[in-house]
Amino acid sequence: MAEAERIIGTPEVGDEAQPEPAAPKGRRRIAALLVVAILAYLVDLGSKMVVVAKLEHQPPIRIIGDLLKFEAIRNPGAAFGFGEAFTIIFTLIAATVIVVIVRLARKLYSLPWAIALGLLLGGALGNLTDRIFRSPGVFRGAVVDFIAPAHFAVFNLADTAIVCGGILIVLLSFKGLDPDGTVHKD
């Protein structure tokens, strides 16, 4: 009987149950991260191409009266125009974020974390693309911003993806969910 149970897969008394391999689950999470990152990147890149082609050097387009308009701005600094002299630093930070996310992806078994990291990755790639390929030159390029709410900084869809990913990471951390799928109850 013990031999039949072993063949069927029922553990005998004293046998340790072996957990199922997690690799297929992990691959699915990496795929989700990549899909979200690619979508965020392509939507950002496409929006910036339209803004540069149609909106740059044109008057702003009012979307909701004076509350929201689309206005093409080239931003060499960070949010709120801070740090215009440190474009190379922001380029290095974006590249570091990308490397950290790629390394963390190997241990990724949580779909919410995959979505959050995908948003961060797509946004970081979007702004890094501007910093590398836009004028005035490589690693000194200005980011194309165009969403201009009243009394707030002008931003783009990459910034939106980064902020949404960051908020999701904070919420996941408060819930105790780790990127590897473990849940901590404090």
Side-chain angles (χ1 to χ4, degrees), residues 141-165:
V143 173
V144 175
D145 289 335
F146 62 94
I147 303 169
H151 312 294
F152 196 72
V154 181
F155 58 95
N156 58 43
L157 295 178
D159 299 332
T160 304
I162 291 168
V163 168
C164 290

Side-chain angles (χ1 to χ4, degrees), residues 6-57:
R6 184 178 296 282
I7 292 171
I8 295 173
T10 307
E12 289 185 35
V13 177
D15 282 353
E16 302 234 357
Q18 298 295 321
E20 293 198 25
K25 183 178 178 185
R27 279 191 220 113
R28 283 193 300 267
R29 301 314 182 240
I30 292 171
L33 181 149
L34 291 174
V35 166
V36 170
I38 290 168
L39 284 173
Y41 177 73
L42 291 176
V43 168
D44 176 65
L45 184 64
S47 68
K48 289 174 181 175
M49 291 171 67
V50 170
V51 165
V52 169
K54 302 288 185 186
L55 190 57
E56 204 164 48
H57 309 296

